[in-house]
């Protein structure tokens, strides 16, 4: 619809140029192109102006859809820190635990510390 209005306005503007270019010599035949001082060219120019104004008003009605708001997703939560069981220490990303074993051999008792490693739980 808007393109049609603009096309009609352009066509009327072109037609009004050719109408305004028609000059007549003075005399008794000169009154035929004017009625009460308003010529065909003035009326055509008024119509062209009205059509152009209507096209501008219909084109700027503000009903164009607005783009959706861009929402950035929140960053993912940080991973939980690795943890070891009990009071075992975390050394270079590996859990290190120690147990004590008692070995009885005859009359002597030997206490031996045993160290072990395992992957931490997240």
């Amino acid at each position: 619809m808007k393109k049609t209005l603009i096309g009609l306005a352009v066509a009327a503007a072109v037609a009004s140029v050719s109408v305004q270019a028609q000059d007549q010599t003075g005399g008794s035949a000169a009154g035929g192109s004017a009625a009460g001082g308003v010529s065909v060219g003035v009326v055509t120019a008024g119509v062209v102006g009205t059509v152009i104004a209507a096209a501008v008003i219909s084109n700027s009605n503000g009903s164009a859809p607005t783009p959706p708001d861009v929402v950035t997703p929140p960053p993912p939560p940080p991973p939980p820190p690795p943890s070891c069981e009990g009071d075992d220490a975390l050394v270079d990303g590996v859990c290190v635990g120690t147990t004590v074993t008692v070995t009885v051999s005859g009359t002597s008792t030997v206490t031996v510390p045993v160290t072990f490693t395992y992957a931490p739980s997240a």
Side-chain angles (χ1 to χ4, degrees), residues 45-111:
V47 169
V48 169
T50 303
V51 170
I52 289 174
V56 169
I57 291 170
S58 69
N59 198 20
S60 65
N61 62 5
S63 65
T66 58
D69 293 334
V70 176
V71 178
T72 56
S83 61
C84 298
E85 295 177 8
D87 60 349
D88 294 343
L90 179 65
V91 179
D92 292 329
V94 177
C95 294
V96 178
T98 304
T99 60
V100 177
T101 59
V102 176
T103 305
V104 177
S105 173
T107 59
S108 60
T109 302
V110 179
T111 304

Side-chain angles (χ1 to χ4, degrees), residues 14-56:
V14 170
S16 69
V17 170
S18 64
V19 170
Q20 291 175 355
Q22 296 174 357
D23 289 334
Q24 294 183 354
T25 58
S28 64
S33 65
V38 179
S39 67
V40 175
V42 173
V43 172
T44 306
V47 169
V48 169
T50 303
V51 170
I52 289 174
V56 169

